[in-house]
Amino acid sequence: ALCWTNLGVVYLNLGEQTLANKAFKEAQNAEPSYTRGWTGQALVAEVAGFKSESMDLFRHCTFLGPEPESARGYGDWVCSTMAALEKGDKVETHNKYILEKMFGIVVGVDSLSSYCERNPGDDVALCQLGVLYEKMGLVRSGYKVMEMSNKLVKNTVEKDKVLTNLGRLLTKLGRCEEAIEHYQAISSTTFYSQVGLAMAHYSLGNYQQAYEAYESCLHWLADNDGLKSHILVAMGSLAYKVEGMQAAKTLLFQSCQLAPTSVRGLFALCVI
């Protein structure tokens, strides 16, 4: 099994995906419980663009035992599938089923936890583990590993993502002043970092600063009308607190004129 797996790795590095797949199959036939034979086939499927098969093979590897490549691969697939679902992108049906019906996030946490214990210097894996912890509701654990990732990350773009995640986690922990500091340390502001900053200010009762943060999202960072509609609803909520009902109505009517319209905005108008 070891020899066939090594041969498969050589073929994969040479770009011979068909031969690599045959070699990994021979490794599985020789020793079905040999994890790296299955991991290799999962990597072949990933390189070839077979998303459903790749994730399923990585999932199978997690049941055979701890193996760094498969643990890292499965954690990455869980995070990418979760991100695609939240964005509303098309996701393979089987991948969605794994995530929602086969304890995908829990298994992803177990896989990345074991991987990070062996590889504590992988800042991306630590960041992904923090996001999965947060998804499970383990906010303190998520913050702990995200802080570890923040200390390791060097790339500016990745640093901004980690700081955004830290700001969100700190807001959930009620440490909004620290969250604002992290958001303000971001070098290149994004829609989600600015929304996070607005929510941190809102939690502290800084309604004017929160309104200004949402306003910058509306004019500079929101890239579609659906997001703009949601932002106008948030601004309407703040306007209701500060300026009264008439200002809130104006913003909510503006929200309803965009498509797709925010459902929360329609509910708010009905209440008013």
Side-chain angles (χ1 to χ4, degrees):
L2 177 61
C3 294
W4 280 113
T5 300
N6 289 339
L7 180 61
V9 171
V10 172
Y11 279 137
L12 185 59
N13 286 325
L14 291 173
E16 298 288 346
Q17 297 169 14
T18 303
L19 292 173
N21 189 47
K22 288 180 179 179
F24 288 129
K25 279 187 176 180
E26 290 297 331
Q28 295 164 14
N29 292 333
E31 189 178 339
S33 61
Y34 187 62
T35 310
R36 291 186 176 181
W38 293 95
T39 303
Q41 195 173 40
L43 290 170
V44 171
E46 186 173 58
V47 170
F50 295 102
K51 298 179 180 180
S52 181
E53 289 81 358
S54 179
M55 185 173 183
D56 198 43
L57 284 164
F58 277 126
R59 181 195 62 79
H60 178 69
C61 291
T62 62
F63 292 101
L64 295 177
E67 199 280 320
E69 285 290 339
S70 62
R72 184 74 178 80
Y74 184 70
D76 191 64
W77 270 109
V78 169
C79 288
S80 61
T81 304
M82 194 169 67
L85 285 171
E86 290 183 359
K87 289 179 183 177
D89 296 340
K90 185 179 179 180
V91 175
E92 296 277 346
T93 305
H94 188 61
N95 290 11
K96 184 179 179 181
Y97 183 84
I98 289 174
L99 201 65
E100 296 179 349
K101 304 295 183 181
M102 300 182 72
F103 305 99
I105 294 174
V106 176
V107 177
V109 166
D110 289 342
S111 299
L112 283 177
S113 295
S114 64
Y115 173 83
C116 290
E117 286 179 10
R118 287 178 159 189
N119 302 271
D122 191 334
D123 56 274
V124 177
L126 286 167
C127 179
Q128 290 177 329
L129 179 57
V131 170
L132 293 182
Y133 270 135
E134 180 188 4
K135 193 70 175 178
M136 288 179 63
L138 304 173
V139 182
R140 293 185 187 279
S141 298
Y143 171 75
K144 182 179 177 181
V145 294
M146 197 68 71
E147 187 62 43
M148 292 167 62
S149 175
N150 187 41
K151 292 176 181 177
L152 294 168
V153 67
K154 303 297 182 185
N155 182 278
T156 304
V157 176
E158 296 300 324
K159 183 82 169 179
D160 286 346
K161 291 178 181 179
V162 173
L163 287 170
T164 301
N165 290 333
L166 277 171
R168 187 179 63 254
L169 289 164
L170 285 166
T171 302
K172 289 184 176 182
L173 290 170
R175 296 159 60 180
C176 297
E177 294 90 349
E178 295 176 61
I180 290 171
E181 291 176 8
H182 282 78
Y183 284 126
Q184 291 176 340
I186 293 171
S187 58
S188 182
T189 303
T190 65
F191 175 81
Y192 293 103
S193 68
Q194 197 69 0
V195 167
L197 177 62
M199 293 178 70
H201 276 304
Y202 179 84
S203 298
L204 289 172
N206 301 331
Y207 299 136
Q208 184 61 40
Q209 290 92 325
Y211 187 90
E212 290 172 359
Y214 279 131
E215 195 170 30
S216 68
C217 283
L218 178 67
H219 296 302
W220 304 106
L221 299 171
D223 58 2
N224 63 69
D225 287 347
L227 290 176
K228 289 180 180 179
S229 181
H230 287 305
I231 292 298
L232 284 166
V233 173
M235 291 170 67
S237 174
L238 287 165
Y240 183 82
K241 286 180 176 292
V242 178
E243 298 180 21
M245 187 180 295
Q246 194 57 45
K249 273 186 180 180
T250 302
L251 290 164
L252 290 172
F253 276 123
Q254 290 177 15
S255 169
C256 292
Q257 290 170 0
L258 298 173
T261 302
S262 172
V263 176
R264 293 178 184 273
L266 293 172
F267 286 154
L269 269 178
C270 291
V271 171
I272 292 176

